[in-house]
Amino acid sequence: MTTTLLRGRLLSFRRAPLSLADSESYLYETDGGLLIEDGIIAAVGAYADVRAKAPADINEIDHRPHLIMPGLIDMHLHFPQMQVIASYAANLLEWLNTYTFPEECRFVESDHAQKIATHFYDELIRHGTTTAVAYCSVHKTSADAYFTEAMRRNMRMIGGKVMMDRNAPQGLLDTPEMGYDETRQVIADWHGKGRNHVAITPRFAITSTPAQMEATAALAREFPDLHIQTHLSENHDEIKFTCALYPEATDYTDIYARYGLLGPKSLFGHAIHLSDREADAMSESGAVAVHCPTSNLFLGSGLFPLKALVRREKPVRIGVATDIGGGSSYSMLRTMDEAYKIQQLLGERLNPLDSYYYMTLGNAEALSLADRIGTLEPGTDADLVVLNAAATPAMALKMEVVKTLPEELFLLQTMGDDRSVTETYVAGVAVKGQLSEAAG
Ligand code: GUN
Ligand code: ZN
């Protein structure tokens, strides 16, 4: 048995915080100990108590004065868009057609997919993200590369082969039959292997014919436990085009509802411009709206009304995500900084406890995976991030006047990035320190 004892300040949420003063919503140990046995958290608490339970000769790693938290979770990003990031476009549809679709065509080549997969996991680890939910390309080769690398790194990853059969270049199209068959094959090859989860992944209604949506509906019926991911209501031109393609539907959300794709495992990227009816439908079905702030700002898509959606009589479940490569940073800290600014523009407050809840337990709950990830609870996976709020000279200077935990968290979110990630643990193993630094 491999056992490790980590020492540091521990922070883990128990539930969504009700306010900045809600100290009951989280566990905070200023001198904490975390005992890990075979990749699973075995004990958590005050260092002296946990140390007493551990063997005398245990491998002990002292992370003081840094914060040890559950690994960060990214609920929506695109594995084949690492070389799309930072593309100059006027809006979503121009960005997709000019840069994104041509780039994704390259993933038919498994050498290319494997090369990008290596970089992809390196970036997640560098940024303290231990679980992510990704779109692969339409090619099965891309899903194979994605899940092969996840298994090699023993990471809990969710992903899917994209299904798309219209309104894109020929090299990026499947057919309803191919999309169905290949998704079934990806499920057979990868779901439940290592820590992998396969998601049913129709890209969005614009790139799927009604026949492909029927095939997606069949997959959702056959595999009711799998996540479903797609895009919803991101941009006004996109919404108009989509509704014109499905004139029988009441609105964009209703298109997915008609094909049985609205449910508690459904993850809808963006969902910025929902009507009240759509938000009600999302709420009643338990579907999740995944907020992608850096992408929404970068593509000029709009301001996601996070607080208003949570406050509704029928609240909408929320996830948060980078949306690489529409998003502009791999960092969930940078992501929540932009989420905060979006709420500011809407006259709302997103407090720092909210932010750290969303990046960890909140996203785990939105994935129905809180029994495995997102907390420091004994029995769950030892996927962790170690954060340093004084990682740069400017941060260290500000830290001199920081007095409370929420102030420290807010500083980390406002000024932090991968430099603040001291270490990342995957199933109890420190993996960030092993990465080779990029040349240059
Ligand atoms: N809608 C459909 N595909 C995409 C994509 O790749 N990125 C974003 N941001 N929106 C999409
Ligand atoms: Zn997306």
Side-chain angles (χ1 to χ4, degrees):
M1 184 158 62
T2 318
T3 54
T4 310
L5 176 62
L6 305 187
R7 184 173 189 176
R9 285 186 297 135
L10 305 180
L11 175 63
S12 173
F13 284 87
R14 299 189 176 104
R15 56 168 170 75
L18 301 174
S19 73
L20 203 45
D22 185 6
S23 56
E24 292 292 304
S25 65
Y26 57 88
L27 164 106
Y28 180 51
E29 285 285 353
T30 51
D31 185 6
L34 192 76
L35 184 65
I36 302 169
E37 288 177 359
D38 286 341
I40 302 291
I41 297 171
V44 63
Y47 170 76
D49 296 343
V50 177
R51 183 74 193 79
K53 290 182 197 160
D57 61 347
I58 193 168
N59 173 32
E60 182 169 332
I61 303 168
D62 191 349
H63 283 298
R64 288 176 299 167
H66 304 324
L67 271 173
I68 302 174
M69 290 193 63
L72 308 180
I73 302 170
D74 185 345
M75 292 244 327
H76 178 125
L77 78 172
H78 296 259
F79 151 59
Q81 294 179 14
M82 293 192 79
Q83 293 180 308
V84 177
I85 193 169
S87 291
Y88 182 71
N91 56 53
L92 170 68
L93 297 179
E94 182 190 309
W95 175 85
L96 282 172
N97 289 317
T98 311
Y99 304 102
T100 309
F101 289 163
E103 174 62 22
E104 290 194 12
C105 288
R106 299 173 70 200
F107 285 73
V108 68
E109 300 291 343
S110 68
D111 284 356
H112 182 66
Q114 282 165 27
K115 170 189 151 180
I116 298 297
T118 304
H119 288 288
F120 185 76
Y121 287 92
D122 281 358
E123 282 315 313
L124 295 184
I125 288 165
R126 209 186 304 287
H127 289 84
T129 297
T130 49
T131 289
V133 188
Y135 290 62
C136 301
S137 72
V138 72
H139 318 97
K140 183 168 182 294
T141 43
S142 72
D144 291 341
Y146 175 83
F147 286 120
T148 301
E149 193 62 19
M151 248 181 110
R152 199 176 73 71
R153 308 220 188 196
N154 193 21
M155 288 174 73
R156 187 172 294 285
M157 296 293 290
I158 301 164
K161 177 210 112 75
V162 159
M163 289 182 277
M164 51 195 296
D165 69 343
R166 66 170 166 185
N167 290 319
Q170 195 55 42
L172 218 51
L173 297 181
D174 55 12
T175 63
E177 297 71 31
M178 254 177 84
Y180 174 84
D181 290 344
E182 290 189 351
T183 299
R184 284 194 64 123
Q185 197 56 51
V186 172
I187 295 167
D189 291 349
W190 296 112
H191 188 66
K193 301 269 169 70
R195 302 171 73 198
N196 288 334
H197 303 246
V198 174
I200 299 166
T201 309
R203 185 178 202 119
F204 64 161
I206 288 180
T207 48
S208 287
T209 58
Q212 181 159 74
M213 295 294 261
E214 292 288 1
T216 307
L219 287 166
R221 280 194 303 272
E222 284 169 62
F223 302 99
D225 295 339
L226 264 56
H227 293 96
I228 298 167
Q229 58 177 346
T230 189
H231 295 85
L232 171 66
S233 199
E234 178 174 1
N235 159 296
H236 290 298
D237 290 340
E238 173 223 14
I239 297 168
K240 222 157 94 191
F241 186 21
T242 308
C243 291
L245 291 170
Y246 288 90
E248 68 287 359
T250 309
D251 47 44
Y252 199 161
T253 303
D254 187 46
I255 298 171
Y256 295 126
R258 283 167 175 255
Y259 293 99
L261 303 182
L262 229 59
K265 289 295 201 80
S266 304
L267 315 174
F268 290 101
H270 308 290
I272 302 169
H273 308 286
L274 300 179
S275 66
D276 263 354
R277 195 215 73 77
E278 290 178 287
D280 282 353
M282 294 274 294
S283 176
E284 285 159 11
S285 68
V288 177
V290 184
H291 181 29
C292 306
T294 72
S295 171
N296 297 167
L297 294 172
F298 182 78
L299 294 172
S301 301
L303 304 177
F304 179 77
L306 186 152
K307 281 284 176 182
L309 287 173
V310 173
R311 212 173 34 228
R312 300 176 89 246
E313 198 178 317
K314 292 183 177 176
V316 176
R317 293 171 76 202
I318 302 289
V320 293
T322 63
D323 190 33
I324 296 297
S328 51
S329 172
Y330 290 87
S331 167
M332 289 304 296
L333 296 171
R334 305 282 357 101
T335 298
M336 295 317 295
D337 181 41
E338 300 300 292
Y340 171 80
K341 293 173 190 169
I342 288 175
Q343 294 314 296
Q344 288 287 90
L345 286 171
L346 292 169
E348 302 275 8
R349 308 300 308 279
L350 182 69
N351 80 51
L353 294 180
D354 282 342
S355 287
Y356 287 75
Y357 161 76
Y358 279 123
M359 286 186 269
T360 56
L361 177 59
N363 274 355
E365 288 175 341
L367 289 169
S368 311
L369 283 174
D371 59 334
R372 297 267 32 103
I373 55 172
T375 69
L376 301 180
E377 279 293 309
T380 66
D381 302 351
D383 294 338
L384 311 166
V385 63
V386 183
L387 293 169
N388 175 10
T392 67
M395 291 175 81
L397 188 65
K398 168 73 186 186
M399 265 303 273
E400 288 179 10
V401 295
V402 161
K403 293 190 179 59
T404 65
L405 176 69
E407 284 174 10
E408 178 182 354
L409 296 177
F410 195 55
L411 162 59
L412 255 174
Q413 169 188 302
T414 308
M415 299 180 78
D417 52 31
D418 54 317
R419 293 169 296 179
S420 294
V421 176
T422 299
E423 190 50 275
T424 304
Y425 286 85
V426 170
V429 178
V431 287
K432 176 162 177 173
Q434 300 169 5
L435 294 178
S436 53
E437 289 305 319

